[in-house]
Amino acid sequence: MAEIHELRSRFAAALSRMYGREVPAYATLVEVTEQVNADFLSAHPDSAERLGSISRVTAERHGAIRVGTPAEMHDVAVLFAGFGMYPVGFYDLREAAPPVPVVSTAFRPIDPDELARNPFRVFTSMLTTSDRRFFDADLQRQLDGFLSRRRLFPDVLLSLARRAADDGGLDETQAQRFVSLATSVFELSHEPVDLGWYRELERVSAVAADIGGVTGTHINHLTPRVLDIDDLYARMAARGIAMIDRIQGPPRWDGPPVLLRQTSFRALAEPRRFALPDGSVTDGELRVRFGEVEARGIALTEAGRALYDELLDTDPANVKGMWDSRFPRSEDELEKHEFAYFTYDDGVRAPIVYEDFLPKSAAGIFRSNLDTDTASTSGEHGADFSRASLAEAIGRDIHDPYELYRRQQEQSGGPGR
Ligand code: OOG
Ligand code: NI
């Protein structure tokens, strides 16, 4: 039998191979990431694996997908449970500046042993079609109608996912079927895109068009993990790949790495087919998919996170100076202020790696790859989407990331032992 973690590893690897074929610049990104990681490991043999073994880091990916309705979100949850991935965290990107008309969660393993085996996670966003700040009643009706007519996930795929979740794995034949069906769902479709409809949605929001303007879904990006993101950024730029203008998250420094630093290359033009109003089909292109890379650091407590948010909220020109003068310079200091989570197995302190996302960075990642910003109509009230209402759509609890880190710290004995 192929156990759930084996299914998850195969799924992440299969998506990575597929995306490398679809978006060749992603294959370059993975290649450069592997070189940077190998160089970092030989330059820092004692510390390079402090936040995860090199085998975990080499296989580590996160993906991003976008769906249109609570029913689709529900199916996503069934599918990912078959890979041992559960919803963690609630991100309201409508609050970002400029806003993105989605609410999101991340599906990932929650058990430390499972994370160590393969931490594949997928940032999953759902379009908020009932939010009047973005969609008027007429457009919502058309969108909901369009979305209700499509089926993203075949029944056979969902039943394999349920069986894997119930039995803790699948036999070899079913495992291969499951992984290959799950992968092909996220492949870029060659179905013609209804150009009039796509452009109508694009006028409201490019993300709405990417989600609700097409009959399928697709991986939006896939992200390898790198041990030195500044080095990676420089090497990609030297290869002539246009990166976004900055690295999102904490500034570069020589103190302890915390949370998450991310950067991406600009969305590339990909060939797509378009259906025109007269019924003819023509070739064109769309720019929505890209490659991203990330460096992960130590998970912060609510208090540590509050300091992070405060420092990052200052004028961008001052962030680095504020950070250097105010953020704790060592793991000892982080521990003393209870700003970060650690394990204490056998009395040895080890940092807990941050497994989640950052809303401000996520908004920056969304934004850097859209040609147009979304305008929201002021004066209207936003539809009520909360962690609880998203959990209801999903049909299961959304885990609180702090709760998971705290539990891991406590189960290892907690500080002071
Ligand atoms: C998701 C953007 C968020 C990240 O790494 O913060 C994200 C999207 O573009 O669909 O992936
Ligand atoms: Ni991402």
Side-chain angles (χ1 to χ4, degrees), residues 330-343:
S330 65
E331 289 184 13
D332 284 345
E333 288 284 304
L334 283 173
E335 182 191 43
K336 192 177 91 193
H337 295 289
E338 295 185 17
F339 279 169
Y341 294 105
F342 298 91
T343 56

Side-chain angles (χ1 to χ4, degrees), residues 295-357:
R296 290 192 171 263
I298 308 173
L300 297 184
T301 61
E302 283 101 326
R305 176 59 181 273
L307 178 60
Y308 168 83
D309 284 334
E310 184 196 329
L311 296 177
L312 268 269
D313 223 20
T314 42
D315 175 353
N318 297 333
V319 168
K320 172 75 178 145
M322 294 280 284
W323 187 271
D324 285 341
S325 64
R326 293 196 41 209
F327 205 80
R329 288 223 145 254
S330 65
E331 289 184 13
D332 284 345
E333 288 284 304
L334 283 173
E335 182 191 43
K336 192 177 91 193
H337 295 289
E338 295 185 17
F339 279 169
Y341 294 105
F342 298 91
T343 56
Y344 297 87
D345 294 306
D346 305 319
V348 180
R349 186 184 70 203
I352 296 179
V353 63
Y354 188 59
E355 305 286 357
D356 295 288
F357 292 86

